[in-house]
Amino acid sequence: MKIVIAIGGSVLLKEENARMFKAYGEILKDISLKHQIFVVVGGGRPARKYIKIVRELGCGEAQSDAIGIEVTRINAQLLLSALGDYAYQSVPNDFKKALAFQESGKIIVMGGTEPSHSTDAVSTILAEYVNADLLINLTSVDGLYNKDPTKFDDAKFISEIPVQDLVKYLDGKDVKAGTYEFFDMTAAQMIERSNIPTIIANGDDPNNLIKIINGEKVGTKIV
């Protein structure tokens, strides 16, 4: 399969050390022996810290986005270091380059691309661009909830959701730089128009990635 995997910065940098980069590096190496892999890495806590500083300096959302994008690309470089020769050792800054780099047959790793596009949006656009068979979004919780489970104890887990319902859920949500959401509207619309099979799952356990690819029921399936 051709698989696009979005890994949240909150997953890779939860402990702010190399442990998760190494763990995902080993798993991605194994998966790449049978599948063509594209990875999009988020910014996580470091990106949010820098964005906060940019706002305190009185800069606008475009500049906040630009700083956040740079952090995602640094995170992508760290994952490339963990992957070594299994990955194409350059971070594409647009989808055309990502498509060109796939000719290497190696894992492609990228971060953000342009202002107003979260890395969730980047992963869905990339999945559409390369005609992926599967999109996997690895976040810091078990999947999609009806509200943020880190803030609300009564949040209910959603094991499966029609993409049209996801679009309605996201309508009107805050999309400023650094905002926490599972998907933004752009991401949901890409899934809807291209019928991209998508699963949102907990990335704190890297083995969930293997389970998903093996067809086990993990996380939230967008249908």
Side-chain angles (χ1 to χ4, degrees), residues 29-213:
K29 288 176 187 177
D30 289 340
I31 293 171
S32 71
L33 298 176
K34 294 183 179 180
H35 306 283
Q36 187 168 16
I37 303 297
F38 297 80
V39 183
V40 179
V41 179
R45 188 181 301 127
R48 288 190 287 276
K49 286 180 179 177
Y50 279 113
I51 288 168
K52 181 176 181 291
I53 293 171
V54 174
R55 290 206 180 104
E56 288 175 357
L57 292 171
C59 300
E61 286 304 308
Q63 285 175 279
S64 297
D65 271 334
I67 292 295
I69 288 167
E70 289 302 319
V71 176
T72 66
R73 291 175 181 171
I74 291 170
N75 291 344
Q77 289 283 0
L78 290 172
L79 186 56
L80 287 181
S81 297
L83 289 166
D85 290 339
Y86 283 79
Y88 189 87
Q89 290 294 318
S90 181
V91 177
N93 55 16
D94 61 46
F95 305 109
K96 190 174 290 187
K97 285 183 181 177
L99 191 61
F101 290 175
Q102 77 169 334
E103 297 302 319
S104 67
K106 297 186 175 187
I107 300 168
I108 308 302
V109 183
M110 64 189 298
T113 55
E114 60 187 80
S116 81
H117 284 168
S118 70
T119 47
D120 286 338
V122 170
S123 67
T124 56
I125 296 169
L126 178 63
E128 184 179 75
Y129 208 92
V130 302
N131 195 26
D133 299 296
L134 179 63
L135 170 62
I136 301 171
N137 186 287
L138 298 172
T139 184
S140 56
V141 291
D142 293 335
L144 188 65
Y145 287 76
N146 63 338
K147 57 179 113 174
D148 190 341
T150 64
K151 296 179 181 177
F152 301 96
D153 292 335
D154 62 341
K156 294 181 180 179
F157 179 72
I158 301 169
S159 61
E160 187 171 293
I161 184 171
V163 67
Q164 294 86 355
D165 289 350
L166 180 62
V167 170
K168 290 177 184 176
Y169 169 79
L170 293 171
D171 188 30
K173 296 288 184 182
D174 195 350
V175 292
K176 289 182 179 179
T179 301
Y180 177 82
E181 284 294 347
F182 291 102
F183 275 93
D184 62 19
M185 184 61 78
T186 301
Q189 288 171 339
M190 291 298 105
I191 293 170
E192 183 176 27
R193 81 177 188 180
S194 295
N195 295 315
I196 304 167
T198 304
I199 295 172
I200 307 170
N202 195 323
D204 289 339
D205 181 0
N207 288 314
N208 279 339
L209 179 55
I210 298 172
K211 292 177 182 178
I212 293 167
I213 291 174

